[in-house]
Amino acid sequence: EDMIITHKTREAVKAAIMVLDKEFVQPPGVNDLAKAVGVDTKTLQKGFRQMVGQTPREYVRALRMEKALSYLEDKNLRMEDIAQLTGYQSKVHFFNAFKTIYGCTPGQLSGQK
C-alpha cells in the first residue's frame, strides 16, 4: 500500500541512492543504510520502493549489471575482473546474477569466452 512520502523520507531515499551509487561494490545493509540517512529501516524500504520502484538490494543489482555492461566493452578485462569490479565474490555469482537479469551469460552477450 502506498504511503504519503514525507519530505524527510524523500530526502533520505535520495541520500540512500547517492550512497548506493558510490558504494555498490560493497553496499551497506539496509539497516545501516537507513541509519546513515536518518530514517528507520521500514520507512526507507517503503519510500525506496515507492520512489524507485525496487528495493535497495534490487537497485544495487541493477546498478552492478549496468556497470558490468560497460566493463564488458573493455576487451582487456577478464570476467574475473568484471565480477570483482561489480562487487561479486566470484565469477559464478556474477554469471548467475547476469543471467538472471539478461537471460544469457556475459560471454554470450559480449562474444567473449
Side-chain angles (χ1 to χ4, degrees):
E1 85 287 354
D2 283 2
M3 63 175 190
I4 304 293
I5 298 181
T6 64
H7 178 73
K8 181 182 181 193
T9 301
R10 193 176 302 279
E11 291 307 307
V13 170
K14 286 182 193 167
I17 289 169
M18 286 173 63
V19 169
L20 295 176
D21 285 350
K22 247 189 260 150
E23 300 178 26
F24 69 92
V25 173
Q26 286 189 305
V30 72
N31 294 340
D32 291 334
L33 185 59
K35 223 174 272 160
V37 299
V39 294
D40 66 273
T41 304
K42 195 171 172 187
T43 300
L44 178 64
Q45 286 176 311
K46 275 189 163 176
F48 205 98
R49 175 166 284 297
Q50 221 171 308
M51 284 175 64
V52 182
Q54 46 193 182
T55 66
R57 174 174 283 188
E58 290 166 340
Y59 178 81
V60 166
R61 187 173 57 203
L63 191 59
R64 286 172 165 185
M65 289 299 121
E66 217 175 275
K67 302 279 185 194
L69 285 179
S70 64
Y71 289 137
L72 281 171
E73 293 170 16
D74 183 342
K75 300 300 179 202
N76 298 318
L77 288 175
R78 300 181 347 254
M79 289 299 168
E80 289 82 2
D81 301 328
I82 295 171
Q84 202 169 21
L85 287 166
T86 52
Y88 288 94
Q89 303 303 309
S90 71
K91 197 167 100 168
V92 172
H93 286 128
F94 169 60
F95 271 44
N96 289 340
F98 194 95
K99 201 165 184 166
T100 300
I101 301 275
Y102 297 116
C104 64
T105 66
Q108 288 168 323
L109 192 70
S110 69
Q112 289 183 342
K113 295 283 171 279

